[in-house]
Amino acid sequence: MPRFVVRREGGLYAYEKALERAGLTPVAGADEAGRGACAGPLVVAAAVLPTGRRGQVPGLADSKLLAPAARDRVYDEVLARAAATSVVVIPAQEVDRLGLHVCNVMGMRRALAQLAVSPAYVLTDGFPVPGTGVPGLAVWKGDRVAACIAAASVVAKVTRDRLMVEMHERWPHYNFAEHKGYVTPELQAALRTHGPCSEHRFSYVNVRRSRSTMGGGWGGGRVRGAVVRQTELDDDEWEHAG
């Protein structure tokens, strides 16, 4: 594993600067959106920011810390400035079939492989991603401390939010445009009233319970091949990411 020293004064760009000093560029970051949602896809993004001033993205931060309008502005800046970005969309049915963590790692690996610029080093949010072919580091709360991961988080979040707004047009009674499929009192009430649709994750306990109360039916669609698992998420994974 290559050694490098991260200096705190580097701020959000400290990891990239440390890797640049060690001769490890370009650096790619990867993050996902929708891990804690019980409806809609898991979206994974990867991003490579160029070195120097062009790679300094105005307003860049963890996507969950940005208001929607600010997040859209940062999204546009990331796309304009990044050396490369990529997005992988994993549908709810695939999350049910393979499991959340498997899909998360698989999605990050795919997103990194699809980058038009081959990275020399990879930073991932939270957990390691084997099989990338280059050295890498899993960074705890990486979207808050590493610029390339924060950029990936913004790309993933904005992409997923826009998909959920489109999904709202097909199933307006769930109000996906508002809560984006995260567990809120409104979503829970809609599940109790209408039952789940084909875009819900049936491996999640609240969706499975609502289906049981509806007599095993679906409120807005049909799911094929879903494997029900006892999926319980930690409190921070149920966070409504705004």
Side-chain angles (χ1 to χ4, degrees):
M1 173 71 69
R3 297 181 65 85
F4 58 94
V5 178
V6 178
R7 298 171 181 168
R8 292 183 179 180
E9 62 268 22
L12 189 63
Y13 297 86
Y15 278 89
E16 285 90 341
K17 290 178 179 178
L19 288 163
E20 183 182 359
R21 290 193 299 269
L24 294 167
T25 56
V27 182
D31 199 9
E32 87 289 326
R35 181 178 175 89
C38 70
L42 179 71
V43 176
V44 185
V48 175
L49 296 177
T51 58
R53 293 186 63 182
R54 180 167 178 78
Q56 306 281 315
V57 180
L60 180 62
D62 172 9
S63 63
K64 295 186 292 296
L65 302 180
L66 296 171
R71 195 160 51 225
D72 285 341
R73 288 194 298 271
V74 173
Y75 172 85
D76 291 338
E77 288 283 355
V78 169
L79 293 190
R81 292 168 179 264
T85 61
S86 65
V87 175
V88 172
V89 178
I90 302 173
Q93 295 87 350
E94 194 79 349
V95 174
D96 283 335
R97 188 174 69 86
L98 296 177
L100 179 64
H101 184 67
V102 169
C103 286
N104 211 338
V105 173
M106 177 183 69
M108 286 192 179
R109 191 184 300 116
R110 287 180 181 173
L112 290 164
Q114 290 174 12
L115 286 168
V117 174
S118 297
Y121 202 92
V122 167
L123 298 174
T124 54
D125 185 37
F127 49 83
V129 178
T132 63
V134 296
L137 179 68
V139 183
W140 176 247
K141 298 292 185 183
D143 45 9
R144 301 190 183 190
V145 299
C148 58
I149 300 179
S153 79
V154 169
V155 173
K157 174 65 175 167
V158 172
T159 300
R160 187 179 186 279
D161 282 359
R162 291 176 180 179
L163 290 173
M164 297 306 295
V165 170
E166 293 176 6
M167 197 177 296
H168 172 83
E169 296 178 3
R170 184 173 181 183
W171 290 287
H173 45 284
Y174 295 109
N175 201 16
F176 288 141
E178 179 64 27
H179 54 66
K180 309 301 190 297
Y182 286 88
V183 181
T184 64
E186 182 182 14
L187 181 144
Q188 291 293 88
L191 279 173
R192 287 192 297 269
T193 301
H194 304 288
C197 74
S198 60
E199 294 297 336
H200 284 91
R201 301 178 188 174
F202 287 78
S203 55
Y204 282 42
V205 64
N206 65 316
V207 177
R208 187 167 63 252
R209 286 172 178 166
S210 70
R211 182 185 174 189
S212 297
T213 62
M214 297 294 290
W218 291 272
R222 186 172 182 176
V223 173
R224 296 178 180 177
V227 177
V228 175
R229 290 182 173 88
Q230 293 290 333
T231 301
E232 298 283 359
L233 299 180
D234 296 333
D235 289 343
D236 60 341
E237 292 176 329
W238 287 113
E239 177 185 5
H240 179 208

